[in-house]
Amino acid sequence: MHPIEQFAFEFNVQQDYFECHEVLEELWQAGQRQDESLVALIQLAVARYHHRRGNVSGAMRTYPKAFRKLERHAGSLAGQGIDIPRLLALQPLFMQPDYTHIPLPLADGLEQRVNSLPIEPVQDLSFLRHKHLLRDRQDVITARQTALAARQKNEKPVRNLHGPVFIDFSTFQQVDSFRPLHP
């Protein structure tokens, strides 16, 4: 199954927004993180996930970012089977404070394929709400620590009142307490 098709199935049928994020993040990373149209759909799924969990402020911060990217990449997303004009018209519904399921508008071909897929009934809706807490994230944590270490080996600009100062973070040591310069 194509990742966009799986995304649409998870979004519309299973309502598993966490899985939507996972499916497209893999595709996005495989493409060297270049395809911002995938980011638009990922952000929409993340906003839905937050919204359903009751994190309304997180959802309301994420929806506008997603919709701006959806607008910018309407052509490529339409080519994938997403009905972007209908989706953009639904933005006010997404922005309502109370969560309700809003299916992703799809072009006829993609909608028929998605609707013909076998449904896996979800027995526990709280599982969908808290799925991020239940997975093993060690690979993500390790990747973030590796990326942070790589960034810290490079010089980074630090702003002060007199302009940027460059500090080589690889020479810094961790300190356990802060001592003011002028007591």
Side-chain angles (χ1 to χ4, degrees), residues 20-40:
C20 289
H21 168 272
E22 295 294 294
V23 167
L24 289 191
E25 185 174 42
E26 286 178 27
L27 183 61
W28 178 64
Q29 287 186 8
Q32 309 303 318
R33 299 179 174 202
Q34 298 297 312
D35 191 344
E36 194 178 61
S37 67
L38 295 176
V39 175

Side-chain angles (χ1 to χ4, degrees), residues 36-77:
E36 194 178 61
S37 67
L38 295 176
V39 175
L41 293 174
I42 291 168
Q43 286 180 329
L44 182 61
V46 167
R48 297 305 289 159
Y49 188 77
H50 284 305
H51 205 164
R52 181 171 51 203
R53 292 189 74 242
N55 180 1
V56 178
S57 64
M60 296 306 151
R61 281 192 311 270
T62 308
Y63 282 130
K65 295 174 192 175
F67 277 98
R68 281 192 298 273
K69 288 179 180 78
L70 289 166
E71 233 175 326
R72 275 198 307 269
H73 299 285
S76 67
L77 289 168

